Amino acid sequence: MDQTTTTDEAGRMTLMIEGMDCQGCVRSVENAIRKQDPKAEVAIDLATGRADVGTTLARDGVVAAIEGAGFDVTG
């Protein structure tokens, strides 16, 4: 599994998240990101922990939102 975070010029990034074990966890992460950027596009694969995010937020802002929701960003 690729543990690398990638970000392109369009504000899209891929993050690996640990600690999610149900769809409620996925919704918590999505809501935490959208609380900071209501227009963010968030797609999370629960099985792999991969989150693809399109946002105007900096990576640090997205990571802080996810960690604030109680999950760990590993890449």
Side-chain angles (χ1 to χ4, degrees):
M1 179 182 333
D2 182 11
Q3 295 293 318
T4 306
T5 301
T6 58
T7 306
D8 66 21
E9 297 92 29
R12 298 202 64 81
M13 63 187 79
T14 300
L15 302 162
M16 299 306 296
I17 304 171
E18 288 186 349
M20 297 184 299
D21 57 9
C22 66
Q23 285 300 326
C25 296
V26 170
R27 280 191 300 279
S28 292
V29 171
E30 290 170 341
N31 290 340
I33 295 169
R34 289 191 181 118
K35 184 175 181 181
Q36 300 301 314
D37 177 5
K39 295 183 179 183
E41 297 176 12
V42 184
I44 298 174
D45 183 327
L46 179 59
T48 64
R50 177 182 167 147
D52 293 312
V53 182
T55 182
T56 58
L57 297 172
R59 180 191 184 280
D60 291 344
V62 175
V63 170
I66 295 168
E67 291 177 345
F71 302 95
D72 295 319
V73 177
T74 60

